[in-house]
Amino acid sequence: MDYRLELRNVSKSFGEVQALENISFGLGRNEIVGLLGDNGAGKSTLIKIITGYHPPSSGEILFNGQKVDHLTVPKARQLGVETVYQERALAELQTLWRNIFLGREITNRWGFLDVAKMRDETYRLMNQSMGFTSLAVNPESRVRNFSGGEKQGVAIVRALYFDAEIIILDEPTMGLSLKETARLITFVRDIKRAGKSAIFIDHNVVHVYNASDRIVVIDRGRIAGEFLTKDISLDALMEKMIRVAETGSLD
Amino acid sequence: MSSHTDEVTHGSGRANRKAFSLGRFARTHGPQLGILAVFFGLWIIFIISAPTTFLKPQIYNAFMSTVPFFAIMAIPLTMLVIAGEMDLSFPSIMAMGMVAFLLTYGATPGITSASLRVVLAFMAALLAGTAIGWLNGFIIVKFGIPSLVATIGTQFFWRGAVLVLSQGKSGTLSYVKESFLHSALVGKIGGSFPTQMIWLVVIAILGWILLNRHKFGAHIYLIGDNANSAELMGVNTKRVRVQAFMLIGLLSAFAGVIASFHVVYFWPSLGEGHLLSTLASVFLGGTSVFGGTGTILGTFIGAFIIGAIEAATVAVGLTGFWTELIYGLIIVLSVIMHAYLRKRVE
């Protein structure tokens, strides 16, 4: 299969702790993959390898079939990976526009910021994509005062703005209200419609099932199994998840 | 995007900025307004209690002559503190820069032009300061040592190096007076206005631009606010922090040169009196010790408050014994004010 992103035999250990063991994983073009697994199964570690934050201890990473060595965060972003992190990766004392352009400031070639452009873009994004209509929220607002959903909105819009090809959502529903969660699921489906790929990680099996084409189950640092959502019912999937948590095996 | 939507975007952006509100202005600039209020409040008190001193230009010339020595270092220190780091070694860097100056001057007797020798020595001082700053940064990011601890160590080390290399000897720098560099750095414009004040203003403006309108400054704020977020979003936090240490190294050496040129004398203890006044300027100016917030304007004003207190206590008729007490009082009250403002604003 022609993968947008592929991991081959990737392992990662932190000192004595083996976080990931021989993971082989592919993300197809225009595919939404749901990543399920219990706390500490290795989901976040896997994500941070894909985003270049952690180097793998062994194994290969391929983008569009090309092997990439020494992946770093800026390199991954160049390759079109954008991430909405569990911890949201915001700088809460800073203004909204600084958060939108965090690590990717619009500058001239001497590194001087184009503040007016970043403010205008932020204003446009807020209205068009984030649906922030409240007057209290403007490009100069400090992110600290935002609600959980608004903060998540900032993290998501930031990922979209930079023309991502692969969008990674790490526990995006954490701390969201029901309405905000529904909007997020719609958003994941929009990624699919826009022809892009996504990896969607969540605790909530229902959310993942509803938004994904394929589900990969991770347990104790290994891939325990994968299913196409069209081939498995939600009930059967739930049953398997519980079995994995108890016995470490799907069947 | 078509040019039409472009226009719409710009229009809405401008409309948004036009919606100016006093409340928002006060919120965004709270700390700066606070320190400005303290500054003018104290000034009025000084003028009322000692009008003969504070209504004459001489006292202001005196301030502008001495405040730049530490205010020039307080500018890069502000950036460092915003990034969540600390440097206690800059007083030793001041002196080490001058040691590099003296060694270079002493090593170039073959050059007949005294001016050229002084310029070369000056460059060597700046280079030494930058290199020491780099080493500070390197030790801190490479070994993950808290900068407070690491720079206590390097502070002693470089002071020791100054004493060893100079054999503890002080000496006159009378030869620098023949160089144009002396008047360019610490001369008197129109017979009274101290040139170092111009240097301070230039450095403060460049510092403001660097901090607020350059990627470097943007990353400084992000690192101090949430280093983990910054790293996740691809900011090279190590490099930026090392650069910040290099900047304070460079400007400490510069301050060391102008302070020495000012008295035309080198003391191996150069800089020792400047540690606390520099730190106080930064914190008085509203920079948070927790990182992520702080302004150049605040520090600039903070430095002048610090510089004025000593003269003011004497001028209003108190003995010199009162100076430190009033210092302490104003610093503590201002820091409380900033903490209060920060809570209100956020």
Side-chain angles (χ1 to χ4, degrees):
Chain A
M1 188 178 168
D2 173 26
Y3 286 122
R4 190 77 190 70
L5 162 76
E6 195 183 353
L7 301 187
R8 283 187 192 156
N9 304 318
V10 165
S11 298
K12 174 74 187 172
S13 43
F14 297 100
E16 300 274 290
V17 182
Q18 182 87 22
L20 293 175
E21 213 179 325
N22 255 334
I23 297 275
S24 291
F25 168 84
L27 174 68
R29 278 172 206 284
N30 196 19
E31 186 187 34
I32 311 283
V33 171
L35 215 52
L36 283 174
D38 216 337
N39 283 340
K43 298 178 305 247
S44 287
T45 308
L46 183 61
I47 289 320
K48 284 179 179 162
I49 285 176
I50 295 172
T51 60
Y53 184 75
H54 288 317
S57 306
S58 63
E60 294 179 343
I61 305 169
L62 295 92
F63 283 88
N64 300 318
Q66 298 273 315
K67 188 166 175 267
V68 176
D69 293 314
H70 309 294
L71 188 67
T72 59
V73 177
K75 215 189 224 177
R77 287 184 96 172
Q78 251 170 37
L79 290 163
V81 178
E82 285 294 335
T83 314
V84 178
Y85 285 101
Q86 189 176 344
E87 52 270 54
R88 301 209 170 112
L90 299 174
E92 302 212 342
L93 297 173
Q94 312 307 321
T95 56
L96 176 59
W97 67 266
R98 281 187 187 266
N99 271 282
I100 293 281
F101 293 93
L102 208 169
R104 274 207 177 174
E105 296 78 9
I106 300 178
T107 63
N108 65 14
R109 68 185 154 127
W110 308 109
F112 289 101
L113 306 176
D114 188 343
V115 175
K117 186 166 181 204
M118 287 192 273
R119 279 183 187 145
D120 286 348
E121 283 295 303
T122 302
Y123 189 75
R124 186 178 63 78
L125 287 169
M126 273 164 41
N127 286 304
Q128 288 176 5
S129 316
M130 276 192 256
F132 285 179
T133 42
S134 132
L135 277 176
V137 175
N138 69 73
E140 291 294 332
S141 308
R142 311 256 158 190
V143 172
R144 180 190 254 194
N145 306 321
F146 290 12
S147 74
E150 284 169 338
K151 284 180 189 170
Q152 189 65 282
V154 176
I156 289 171
V157 163
R158 182 170 64 188
L160 285 185
Y161 178 76
F162 294 104
D163 249 345
E165 284 304 316
I166 300 171
I167 295 163
I168 297 171
L169 299 138
D170 187 6
E171 304 272 1
T173 59
M174 204 169 64
L176 294 195
S177 69
L178 280 174
K179 209 175 107 195
E180 287 164 349
T181 305
R183 195 154 67 189
L184 184 95
I185 301 295
T186 318
F187 162 76
V188 177
R189 293 203 180 116
D190 285 345
I191 296 177
K192 170 94 177 164
R193 209 163 301 137
K196 299 177 175 183
S197 310
I199 301 175
F200 181 17
I201 301 151
D202 215 305
H203 271 93
N204 190 313
V205 181
V206 183
H207 293 156
V208 173
Y209 183 83
N210 282 334
S212 311
D213 299 313
R214 183 158 58 99
I215 285 174
V216 174
V217 180
I218 297 192
D219 184 64
R220 282 156 250 202
R222 295 166 198 244
I223 291 187
E226 42 187 304
F227 315 93
L228 295 175
T229 41
K230 63 178 164 60
D231 296 341
I232 189 169
S233 74
L234 180 59
D235 286 340
L237 179 66
M238 293 258 236
E239 229 170 84
K240 283 189 189 290
M241 288 304 298
I242 292 165
R243 204 172 304 141
V244 163
E246 283 170 353
T247 66
S249 144
L250 283 169
D251 305 296
Chain B
M1 204 188 287
S2 76
S3 65
H4 176 71
T5 46
D6 247 332
E7 269 165 35
V8 172
T9 309
H10 278 272
S12 55
R14 228 175 284 131
N16 170 57
R17 278 204 299 282
K18 244 181 229 165
F20 175 83
S21 96
L22 198 65
R24 189 191 301 160
F25 182 80
R27 265 198 304 279
T28 13
H29 300 281
Q32 292 168 80
L33 294 174
I35 192 69
L36 272 172
V38 171
F39 178 76
F40 285 112
L42 285 171
W43 197 4
I44 290 167
I45 293 173
F46 293 161
I47 289 174
I48 292 171
S49 28
T52 45
T53 308
F54 280 92
L55 288 176
K56 283 189 189 138
Q58 284 89 334
I59 187 82
Y60 299 103
N61 278 335
F63 290 156
M64 289 191 291
S65 164
T66 55
V67 169
F69 302 142
F70 62 90
I72 282 174
M73 298 185 288
I75 304 291
L77 185 64
T78 305
M79 300 186 194
L80 209 54
V81 174
I82 292 172
E85 299 291 340
M86 179 48 76
D87 188 352
L88 298 178
S89 69
F90 59 84
S92 303
I93 302 180
M94 279 179 89
M96 236 351 251
M98 273 313 287
V99 168
F101 182 99
L102 294 171
L103 291 177
T104 309
Y105 189 83
T108 52
I111 299 173
T112 42
S113 156
S115 256
L116 182 61
R117 280 176 79 186
V118 170
V119 170
L120 280 177
F122 174 64
M123 309 273 268
L126 299 186
L127 202 66
T130 313
I132 295 172
W134 175 82
L135 193 64
N136 272 339
F138 177 79
I139 292 169
I140 287 154
V141 306
K142 178 80 183 172
F143 302 104
I145 303 168
S147 48
L148 182 79
V149 180
T151 56
I152 287 176
T154 55
Q155 178 259 131
F156 278 111
F157 180 85
W158 293 111
R159 180 63 63 190
V162 169
L163 294 173
V164 169
L165 290 167
S166 68
Q167 290 297 300
K169 283 193 207 103
S170 54
T172 177
L173 303 171
S174 55
Y175 52 84
V176 303
K177 282 197 135 175
E178 297 155 27
S179 158
F180 74 94
L181 205 58
H182 182 266
S183 50
L185 292 176
V186 294
K188 297 262 190 270
I189 297 168
S192 62
F193 189 88
T195 317
Q196 59 264 40
M197 182 63 195
I198 297 186
W199 285 102
L200 170 60
V201 171
V202 168
I203 288 167
I205 291 171
L206 291 179
W208 185 90
I209 293 171
L210 193 59
L211 189 57
N212 294 285
R213 290 293 176 271
H214 195 272
K215 207 168 154 177
F216 172 77
H219 291 176
I220 287 279
Y221 276 112
L222 295 170
I223 291 168
D225 193 336
N226 190 333
N228 190 39
S229 292
E231 232 157 79
L232 284 171
M233 300 315 279
V235 174
N236 190 337
T237 60
K238 288 184 177 172
R239 190 174 65 201
V240 173
R241 285 186 292 159
V242 171
Q243 286 169 342
F245 279 102
M246 287 166 76
L247 194 61
I248 190 169
L250 169 71
L251 288 173
S252 300
F254 182 77
V257 171
I258 62 166
S260 303
F261 275 29
H262 182 65
V263 292
V264 204
Y265 209 80
F266 167 72
W267 298 97
S269 61
L270 172 66
E272 272 176 1
H274 288 315
L275 176 65
L276 291 178
S277 44
T278 311
L279 285 172
S281 308
V282 173
F283 293 120
L284 199 57
T287 299
S288 164
V289 72
F290 301 111
T293 56
T295 61
I296 297 289
L297 178 67
T299 298
F300 187 87
I301 294 176
F304 275 90
I305 293 176
I306 294 286
I309 293 171
E310 188 164 8
T313 41
V314 177
V316 302
L318 294 167
T319 60
F321 300 125
W322 283 86
T323 313
E324 296 210 358
L325 187 144
I326 294 173
Y327 246 59
L329 194 68
I330 291 177
I331 291 170
V332 170
L333 288 178
S334 303
V335 172
I336 291 173
M337 174 195 76
H338 284 303
Y340 176 76
L341 283 175
R342 223 171 275 139
K343 222 173 267 171
R344 281 289 301 272
V345 166
E346 290 151 9

